[in-house]
Amino acid sequence: MSMIAAFYGGKSILITGATGFLGKVLMEKLFRTSPDLKVIYILVRPKAGQTLQQRVFQILNSKLFEKVKEVCPNVHEKIRAISADLNQSDFAISKEDMQELLSYTNIIFHCAATVRFDDHLRHAVQLNVTATQQLLLMASQMPKLEAFIHISTAFSNCNLKHIDEVIYPCPVEPKKIIDSMEWLDDAIIDEITPKLIGDRPNTYTYTKALGEMVVQQESGNINIAIIRPSIVGATWQEPFPGWVDNLNGPSGLIIAAGKGFLRCVRATPMAVADLIPADTVVNLTLAVGWYTAVHRPKSVLIYHCTSGNFNPCNWGKMALQVLAAFEKIPFERAFRRPNADFTTNSITIQYWNAVSHRAPAIIYDFYLRLTGRKPRMTKLMNRLLRTVSMLEYFINRSWEWSTDNTEMLMSELSPEDQRVFNFDVRQLNWLEYIENYVLGVKKYLLKEDMAGIPKAKQHLKRLRNIHYLFNTALFLIAWRLLIARSQVARNVWFFIVSFCYKLLSYFRASSTLKV
Ligand SMILES: CCCCCCCCCCCCCCCCCCCCCC(=O)SCCNC(=O)CCNC(=O)[C@H](O)C(C)(C)COP(=O)(O)OP(=O)(O)OC[C@H]1O[C@@H](n2cnc3c(N)ncnc32)[C@H](O)[C@@H]1OP(=O)(O)O
Ligand SMILES: NC(=O)C1=CN([C@@H]2O[C@H](COP(=O)(O)OP(=O)(O)OC[C@H]3O[C@@H](n4cnc5c(N)ncnc54)[C@H](OP(=O)(O)O)[C@@H]3O)[C@@H](O)[C@H]2O)C=CC1
């Protein structure tokens, strides 16, 4: 019997960000391994014209929850969606709901965040810092609370090369930042943002670091732990391999590369690709929840959930594996044949962006215009290149994260818990994982049918022929122009032609003699 699964039985659990990528996988695993849990409260905001109930219904009826419905048929009754907006004071939760949360919650998993790299500092502070502070305030009023698990990121201190399982203070206190966001206007915030974030690349990593400081400062008597995952990717094993539902991290780039939009990036092939599967993060999170509640460590423990020091894979190798997967599992209606060239040279990348990205987009838009359709490729390409430029920071560096707490926790688990809540990435086979990832992107993000694979392969063959034809035509035109302008080129050309003619005559003559 799994001790961790048993621990969550009968518990009332509060999850923020349950509608997000990680939150859904967390909820699924909780229901599947502890179907006897009492209730999961989720803080949800109405979105995209959908009510709370519609959003929950959509999640529970997704493929991700198919297994849950078998083990926990009354899952609909065990999930309690509470209308909340983490940007509002008291999260805009009604009095009755708040009372219920304060009275019954046993465990909190705080996953909600803005993960956008370019979010305005005011909004990023509101969600990643102020909301964390408010949630801690709520937690301090929960008599039955056993543990508060805060999800941060391994990149909150990405300005350092070696990162320990400690909280590194930012120069300006989070309280001061929160206060100043209330009275500074947007223009001034824009001006001071670069100074505040310092050597971090974006407002996301900066505000996640501030969020950690808040957790440490406001922890009071609460049992708190912080999880720092690296780049969260599709699921590895559970509930099935390859599940992914948003474009963040590598998923968007896999689409862009598989569809042939993106063929070259500024990346360091030898830099470690610290990807971590979503189910691994969730398994560690649940194990940490159990450990924190049962063992009540004296200080806030931080757990790095990374793959680099256990089972490293670099970006160069990963790109080759992604390309190999595209051979087997091509995406439909690719724009060009997939390719993955890495360069660290900024002039070379500008050249490739012009030749391999922008020029084909312009040519395609010209073709769309000619055929009476609306051009769209240049716009899409510009947005894609902007996205890639934001990710470049993370694919050109390697970090070392110490993992003493994660390893300590692994050794604390019973063999059964190590199996059910497996977060040992040493067992991960990257080739297999990447293949499933690409398959998952095709199925769950692009919603493409597997039956279309032969047609997609044919399409890629056609693109290859067009590519060869185009290159040959380009070469001949260039050569023709050169011959017209240069005597040396003309001499070389006549030499080649006469040499070929002589060779041909020789073979003809020798074959006539044999007869
Ligand atoms: C030669 C190629 C070879 C490749 C071969 C394959 C090799 C293997 C894989 C290789 C490398 C992996 C590197 C990962 C490094 C991640 C590091 C994370 C570290 C921290 C981890 C964390 O702790 S935190 C989670 C990460 N947090 C995000 O990852 C949010 C990012 N994101 C945004 O911050 C916003 O998205 C942003 C961009 C502002 C646009 O914002 P925006 O206002 O313009 O609007 P949207 O967000 O709506 O997106 C606008 C259009 O960008 C498209 N798109 C969105 N994301 C995309 C994405 N990742 N890749 C592509 N395309 C993406 C989307 O499809 C839209 O396309 P469309 O125009 O067609 O609609
Ligand atoms: N994905 C990754 O690569 C990594 C993620 N992390 C961390 O993991 C956690 C989860 O990330 P992930 O699942 O990928 O992110 P998602 O963007 O998929 O999910 C974010 C969640 O936060 C919720 N949320 C955002 N704003 C509000 C709001 N104002 N009120 C209520 N809820 C809100 C979203 O709700 P809604 O559905 O309504 O938008 C959603 O449920 C985050 O803390 C992130 O920093 C850490 C490392 C890597």
Side-chain angles (χ1 to χ4, degrees):
M1 172 69 185
S2 155
M3 280 201 302
I4 300 178
F7 165 77
Y8 288 105
K11 294 276 191 300
S12 300
I13 299 155
L14 168 61
I15 303 181
T16 70
T19 50
F21 175 44
L22 214 54
K24 281 184 241 181
V25 183
L26 176 67
M27 216 164 35
E28 192 279 339
K29 176 87 184 200
L30 265 170
F31 278 127
R32 185 158 44 81
T33 48
S34 307
D36 56 341
L37 60 82
K38 192 167 168 215
V39 62
I40 297 187
Y41 297 114
I42 59 173
L43 301 189
V44 193
R45 51 181 175 170
K47 206 179 176 189
Q50 283 185 310
T51 62
L52 301 196
Q53 286 67 29
Q54 283 167 333
R55 291 195 75 184
V56 174
F57 183 81
Q58 200 176 27
I59 294 174
L60 293 183
N61 283 297
S62 66
K63 181 156 171 60
L64 184 72
F65 277 76
E66 272 175 9
K67 281 190 186 161
V68 164
K69 284 201 218 137
E70 286 166 23
V71 277
C72 183
N74 61 341
V75 56
H76 291 87
E77 294 158 20
K78 293 206 174 212
I79 196 164
R80 171 115 157 68
I82 289 182
S83 174
D85 183 346
L86 271 63
N87 283 325
Q88 308 287 322
S89 119
D90 280 339
F91 300 157
I93 297 177
S94 74
K95 266 196 180 142
E96 301 74 46
D97 286 343
M98 184 61 93
Q99 202 45 56
E100 186 175 342
L101 286 178
L102 295 184
S103 311
Y104 300 112
T105 305
N106 300 117
I107 316 280
I108 298 178
F109 293 107
H110 179 34
C111 301
T114 167
V115 301
R116 288 184 68 92
F117 293 154
D118 67 340
D119 224 345
H120 194 264
L121 187 64
R122 189 197 302 283
H123 185 245
V125 166
Q126 175 57 51
L127 207 57
N128 296 349
V129 191
T130 316
T132 304
Q133 191 187 40
Q134 276 205 49
L135 193 64
L136 284 160
L137 189 70
M138 270 173 70
S140 67
Q141 299 163 48
M142 294 175 172
K144 293 188 178 164
L145 190 72
E146 296 171 48
F148 182 114
I149 311 302
H150 174 75
I151 310 293
S152 186
T153 164
F155 296 97
S156 54
N157 301 292
C158 58
N159 49 331
L160 304 176
K161 200 169 158 29
H162 178 91
I163 301 158
D164 280 321
E165 291 157 307
V166 295
I167 293 170
Y168 296 91
C170 299
V172 185
E173 280 291 307
K175 275 186 194 141
K176 283 194 183 147
I177 301 281
I178 294 173
D179 288 346
S180 61
M181 291 300 129
E182 272 166 27
W183 57 271
L184 288 177
D185 68 30
D186 282 357
I188 299 179
I189 294 180
D190 287 343
E191 215 165 286
I192 59 169
T193 299
K195 290 193 185 82
L196 285 173
I197 66 175
D199 47 3
R200 287 186 176 79
N202 50 44
T203 53
Y204 169 68
T205 48
Y206 174 62
T207 52
K208 289 298 275 188
L210 288 177
E212 290 184 2
M213 283 179 76
V214 162
V215 168
Q216 191 178 44
Q217 290 169 357
E218 318 263 323
S219 57
N221 293 328
I222 313 167
N223 286 319
I224 305 195
I226 297 177
I227 318 264
R228 287 186 184 151
S230 47
I231 303 170
V232 183
T235 54
W236 166 22
Q237 290 165 321
E238 293 178 80
F240 48 84
W243 186 81
V244 58
D245 85 334
N246 71 23
L247 292 171
N248 288 340
S251 311
L253 285 202
I254 289 178
I255 296 185
K259 291 276 184 185
F261 297 129
L262 190 70
R263 295 164 56 88
C264 181
V265 285
R266 199 170 73 81
T268 307
M270 291 313 287
V272 176
D274 211 298
L275 229 65
I276 190 87
D279 47 341
T280 307
V281 181
V282 160
N283 285 344
L284 175 71
T285 303
L286 292 174
V288 168
W290 160 79
Y291 185 82
T292 311
V294 173
H295 294 270
R296 309 170 79 86
K298 286 194 179 65
S299 59
V300 176
L301 288 190
I302 294 156
Y303 299 84
H304 283 152
C305 191
T306 54
S307 58
N309 52 341
F310 293 116
N311 184 358
C313 180
N314 60 45
W315 289 114
K317 199 170 155 196
M318 192 165 286
L320 289 179
Q321 293 175 346
V322 171
L323 279 184
F326 289 149
E327 291 281 323
K328 279 194 195 169
I329 316 154
F331 296 164
E332 287 171 15
R333 294 186 300 277
F335 177 58
R336 293 184 67 195
R337 277 173 63 225
N339 189 29
D341 280 337
F342 284 180
T343 174
T344 47
N345 187 307
S346 46
I347 297 175
T348 314
I349 194 63
Q350 281 184 25
Y351 168 78
W352 282 119
N353 277 345
V355 170
S356 206
H357 296 142
R358 290 209 166 90
I362 293 170
I363 294 171
Y364 187 71
D365 274 353
F366 181 65
Y367 162 75
L368 288 180
R369 267 210 190 95
L370 279 183
T371 50
R373 283 174 286 174
K374 205 175 155 212
R376 58 190 158 84
M377 196 52 83
T378 313
K379 199 172 155 201
L380 197 140
M381 193 58 82
N382 287 339
R383 286 184 78 172
L384 178 63
L385 294 183
R386 182 176 157 260
T387 298
V388 172
S389 72
M390 286 193 192
L391 302 180
E392 271 177 6
Y393 179 93
F394 301 95
I395 46 182
N396 281 287
R397 288 170 177 76
S398 295
W399 287 267
E400 285 160 23
W401 287 278
S402 57
T403 47
D404 297 340
N405 289 339
T406 309
E407 286 172 68
M408 172 279 295
L409 182 62
M410 216 180 281
S411 65
E412 287 283 322
L413 300 193
S414 67
E416 176 66 355
D417 278 332
Q418 285 181 357
R419 189 185 62 77
V420 181
F421 294 90
N422 178 20
F423 51 87
D424 186 356
V425 278
R426 279 173 290 215
Q427 301 159 13
L428 186 137
N429 175 335
W430 283 109
L431 192 67
E432 202 177 88
Y433 175 70
I434 293 295
E435 199 171 303
N436 285 325
Y437 199 151
V438 170
L439 192 75
V441 165
K442 183 175 172 73
K443 273 190 188 168
Y444 311 115
L445 278 180
L446 294 171
K447 313 254 185 262
E448 290 181 3
D449 197 336
M450 292 302 117
I453 286 184
K455 203 172 154 201
K457 282 188 177 168
Q458 246 176 5
H459 178 68
L460 287 187
K461 260 189 201 155
R462 209 175 310 130
L463 287 178
R464 189 192 56 196
N465 295 341
I466 294 174
H467 178 80
Y468 288 153
L469 260 173
F470 184 80
N471 280 1
T472 313
L474 209 65
F475 174 76
L476 290 178
I477 292 169
W479 188 237
R480 184 70 194 85
L481 289 175
L482 203 67
I483 283 178
R485 275 152 208 259
S486 148
Q487 184 60 45
V488 180
R490 265 197 300 271
N491 290 347
V492 173
W493 179 240
F494 287 129
F495 172 77
I496 293 172
V497 171
S498 61
F499 179 76
C500 290
Y501 180 74
K502 277 180 191 156
L503 210 66
L504 211 71
S505 316
Y506 169 78
F507 279 122
R508 259 199 208 145
S510 57
S511 61
T512 329
L513 275 179
K514 270 183 204 158
V515 173

